[in-house]
Amino acid sequence: MTTAHDVVLVGGGGAGLRAAIAIAEARPELDVAVVSKVYPMRSHTVSAEGGAAGVIGADDSLDEHIYDTISGSDWLADQDAVEMFVEEAPRELIRLEHWGCPWSREPDGRVAVRPFGGMKKQRTWFAADKTGFHMLHTLFQTSLKYGTIHRYDEWFVTKLVVDDGVIQGVVAIELSTGRIETMTAKAVILATGGCGRVFPFTTNAAIKTGDGMSLAYRAGAPLKDMEFVQYHPTGLPFTGILITEAARAEGGWLLNKDGYRYLQDYDLGKPEPTPVLRSMELGPRDRLSQAFVHEVEEGRAIDTPYGPAVHLDLRHLGAKVIDAKIPFVRELCLKYQNVDPAAELVQVRPVVHYMMGGVHTDIHGATPVKGLYAAGEVACVSINGANRLGSNSLPELLVFGARAGRAAAEYAAGASGPTRAGLRQADDEHRRIWRELRGREPNGNERIADLREQMQHTMEGGAGIYRTGDSLTKAVDTLHEFQGRRDQARIEDHSHTFNTELLTFLELSAMLDVAETIVYSALRREESRGAHQRTDYSARDNDRFLAHSLAHRASDGSCQIRYLPVTITRWPVGERVYGR
């Protein structure tokens, strides 16, 4: 079956909904499809807690936000993209308020802002500690105003249809019926989020399996800066549930097993010693996660059934402050750890949180594949470089979701429909799913769950917080082996209705693609920069690696790495500092 749309959006979270609204506003005559493997309000944007950065205070400036972002990125961010992002972020946040987002306020009515990791000034807007929840509600409700936006909830896209370098549409499966459909489009926007599930311990929801990155990679768009994987320093052991940076912004402390605020012993890139005890917990996320590893190596971490941990201490804040500023933190700790942070210490450890890398795009969200765009965590513009600053990701999905939507709308308004060759590709994809997956014999010698778990532990061991050439080489070889073993995976469920086994097989295929680009990119980058730390190359090397890595899929399926210079505008490369 075939349906026709002008623009197809893959992903119904914050970036996808913002893009859909931008299309409807810019070109109300265009037909827009939002294809999401979950109901939009279950997209991972809903999980964001801490806030969204945007300059609003009289003591702040755009240049200061720009510099914090560039320095925090370890000078790998493209400065033209950062300048544009910082300028547009406050406008997007104000627009969101006009649509109904309930930003927290000061007693005098001004928008409340809080400090966040790596930011010198208080510029993080928040809605208590359920910021993503309120942002996503606002975007979803606003999208309902437009009759030209059509939703395909609980559909999974299996292929981008591309003919001669031009996008033609997508092929997708309806999860509730197993129906396979070709959706033709003049433009496609990927907004599927990140791929944290390639690691075993992550804050990411189960849906974040790198689907959009894999779709673009297989369609000919390179993946950029995939070696940069951000660990958040405070996840709950066992579950990986995030304890937001807002907990430390409100005054929380990180303590080792001796009750000592250990971060004062580490270089967080902060040049002046005076305020270190006050704000060291708000150092950049990569530095805090690396400090945790050293505490473990020195025997100063806490042993738990789920690995080493340290303590997050919020007791001195008191129940009143916690309930007013970070109530969700208290709720999560009580429900999932049976610990009340107002009276007890909370065990935490670093956990994979965010991908700085993603589909290579320009500042309009356009990829090298004509008519294909990307926005949000699935994309890499790049404004995050080697390390994303806390609270930059939510305004990023707004700014670049809107820009990608407007650019895709203008392109689609003048583009032609699908080609015969494109439609034949789509037919081939229909047959592949039926023949190779649904018709697969149930006696294969590999279990999908076993392969996924082995892949995750390979990634943690080979490309975790610290990497070496040996660990990465071993991971490359193991992942290559997994690609072959995947073809031997069995699918025992041949039913049509909510065939989750088929879905997990398709997700595993995407994760293996993405995992391979991470380890190949990390192996080639022989330096340490931001979240990419090589113990065999411990220094930053600007002569060789002040450049973006681009992972291309070759015709034989192998991963090839090329490099693209970083865009420098007004800020020459310097020492990475925090809190200047």
Side-chain angles (χ1 to χ4, degrees):
M1 185 175 177
T2 302
T3 58
H5 301 280
D6 293 306
V7 183
V8 169
L9 279 144
V10 186
L17 292 176
R18 183 65 189 93
I21 295 167
I23 296 166
E25 290 178 332
R27 289 282 185 169
E29 74 277 10
L30 296 181
D31 182 280
V32 181
V34 178
V35 185
S36 175
K37 68 177 177 181
V38 294
Y39 182 70
M41 278 309 302
R42 290 182 173 84
S43 300
H44 194 60
T45 306
V46 80
S47 301
E49 301 170 35
V55 173
I56 192 173
D59 65 337
D60 199 2
S61 70
L62 296 178
D63 275 3
E64 287 178 285
H65 189 183
I66 293 167
Y67 182 81
D68 285 352
T69 300
I70 293 169
S71 176
S73 78
D74 222 342
W75 263 268
L76 202 72
D78 285 329
Q79 294 183 13
D80 58 340
V82 175
E83 291 182 62
M84 182 275 299
F85 159 71
V86 167
E87 182 178 345
E88 293 187 10
R91 294 200 292 268
E92 284 292 330
L93 297 177
I94 291 170
R95 181 178 288 111
L96 208 64
E97 178 175 66
H98 293 170
W99 289 343
C101 187
W103 299 117
S104 294
R105 322 294 293 201
E106 298 291 354
D108 63 2
R110 291 180 295 119
V111 171
V113 289
R114 59 172 42 132
F116 237 69
M119 303 277 190
K120 293 190 296 291
K121 295 292 177 66
Q122 295 190 33
R123 63 172 68 99
T124 298
W125 305 37
F126 59 95
D129 57 355
K130 295 184 179 180
T131 307
F133 174 86
H134 290 296
M135 286 179 61
L136 193 59
H137 262 282
T138 301
L139 290 167
F140 181 58
Q141 291 166 359
T142 302
S143 73
L144 298 179
K145 297 192 306 182
Y146 301 98
T148 54
I149 298 175
H150 307 286
R151 295 207 327 269
Y152 291 79
D153 298 343
E154 298 183 329
W155 285 70
F156 184 83
V157 173
T158 67
K159 182 180 178 64
L160 297 178
V161 181
V162 179
D163 179 36
D164 196 25
V166 180
I167 200 76
Q168 306 287 304
V170 306
V171 176
I173 303 175
E174 185 178 32
L175 301 180
S176 63
T177 65
R179 178 162 57 102
I180 306 170
E181 189 160 319
T182 299
M183 301 179 187
T184 63
K186 300 170 184 176
V188 173
I189 304 176
L190 296 173
T192 55
C195 60
R197 284 286 160 176
V198 302
F199 288 84
F201 192 72
T202 176
T203 64
N204 288 190
I207 60 175
K208 294 189 72 175
T209 51
D211 312 326
M213 295 177 184
S214 175
L215 288 170
Y217 182 58
R218 287 179 172 266
L223 302 186
K224 182 164 65 180
D225 293 342
M226 292 299 291
E227 62 268 45
F228 298 104
V229 179
Q230 182 170 85
Y231 280 73
H232 195 290
T234 54
L236 293 179
F238 177 58
T239 61
I241 289 172
L242 175 69
I243 298 300
T244 173
E245 201 157 288
R248 287 172 283 125
E250 297 300 333
W253 301 334
L254 288 173
L255 311 176
N256 63 19
K257 73 175 185 179
D258 302 318
Y260 177 67
R261 289 179 72 185
Y262 60 89
L263 290 173
Q264 60 191 292
D265 296 339
Y266 293 92
D267 174 19
L268 303 181
K270 191 177 183 66
E272 65 274 59
T274 307
V276 76
L277 281 174
R278 175 177 58 82
S279 59
M280 60 189 167
E281 275 83 9
L282 288 181
R285 291 171 176 176
D286 57 338
R287 298 282 175 87
L288 267 62
S289 297
Q290 292 153 22
F292 169 87
V293 173
H294 292 298
E295 289 296 296
V296 173
E297 291 172 346
E298 295 298 323
R300 295 191 290 262
I302 304 150
D303 292 327
T304 80
Y306 313 108
V310 292
H311 280 138
L312 174 65
D313 188 0
L314 304 174
R315 298 172 298 177
H316 53 286
L317 301 182
K320 185 176 180 180
V321 170
I322 291 173
D323 289 341
K325 295 294 187 67
I326 46 174
F328 194 43
V329 167
R330 193 176 191 185
E331 181 181 338
L332 290 172
C333 292
L334 285 166
K335 285 185 174 180
Y336 293 97
Q337 292 288 106
N338 197 27
V339 167
D340 184 354
E344 302 168 88
L345 295 170
V346 181
Q347 292 179 353
V348 294
R349 56 158 287 181
V351 52
V352 168
H353 182 58
Y354 188 89
M355 297 299 301
M356 272 72 75
V359 182
H360 171 45
T361 75
D362 63 15
I363 61 173
H364 304 292
T367 77
V369 176
K370 195 171 182 180
L372 178 64
Y373 300 79
E377 191 178 353
V378 71
C380 182
V381 179
S382 155
I383 65 164
N384 298 312
N387 174 66
R388 176 177 69 80
L389 294 190
S391 73
N392 266 354
S393 61
L394 289 178
E396 177 186 4
L397 64 83
L398 296 173
V399 169
F400 292 103
R403 292 180 74 86
R406 290 191 292 267
E410 290 306 309
Y411 173 82
S416 57
T419 63
R420 289 183 180 180
L423 293 175
R424 284 197 296 270
Q425 277 189 46
D427 290 341
D428 289 343
E429 176 68 1
H430 284 235
R431 286 190 287 270
R432 180 187 77 88
I433 295 170
W434 282 107
R435 181 181 65 249
E436 297 184 12
L437 302 181
R438 295 194 186 280
R440 185 186 292 266
E441 291 297 323
N443 57 356
N445 58 8
E446 296 285 355
R447 293 182 68 247
I448 296 169
D450 290 341
L451 272 175
R452 181 177 61 235
E453 183 177 2
Q454 291 169 30
M455 174 205 66
Q456 290 170 334
H457 288 290
T458 296
M459 293 300 293
E460 184 73 22
I465 294 175
Y466 284 98
R467 301 100 178 258
T468 68
D470 289 343
S471 74
L472 290 165
T473 300
K474 183 178 178 181
V476 165
D477 294 340
T478 304
L479 289 171
H480 182 70
E481 174 194 333
F482 288 165
Q483 292 279 9
R485 289 173 59 189
R486 173 191 57 187
D487 295 334
Q488 303 302 315
R490 62 180 181 267
I491 295 179
E492 298 175 352
D493 184 0
H494 290 175
S495 66
H496 292 189
T497 304
F498 286 109
N499 188 331
T500 56
E501 192 174 23
L502 172 60
L503 178 63
T504 56
F505 178 86
L506 295 170
E507 289 175 332
L508 174 64
S509 298
M511 287 192 284
L512 286 171
D513 284 345
V514 171
E516 195 170 51
T517 67
I518 292 171
V519 295
Y520 268 99
S521 300
L523 181 60
R524 288 287 301 275
R525 185 174 289 274
E526 295 176 337
E527 67 161 354
S528 288
R529 185 186 298 268
H532 172 70
Q533 293 293 308
R534 290 276 299 264
T535 57
D536 49 349
Y537 293 95
S538 58
R540 191 177 72 179
D541 186 347
N542 290 323
D543 292 335
R544 296 176 61 202
F545 292 107
L546 186 64
H548 301 295
S549 62
L550 295 177
H552 295 261
R553 188 172 189 266
S555 57
D556 62 358
S558 64
C559 180
Q560 297 182 350
I561 307 298
R562 301 170 189 166
Y563 289 94
L564 180 72
V566 173
T567 301
I568 307 293
T569 56
R570 294 188 285 144
W571 287 269
V573 178
E575 179 188 0
R576 181 186 176 193
V577 297
Y578 157 66
R580 187 181 295 280

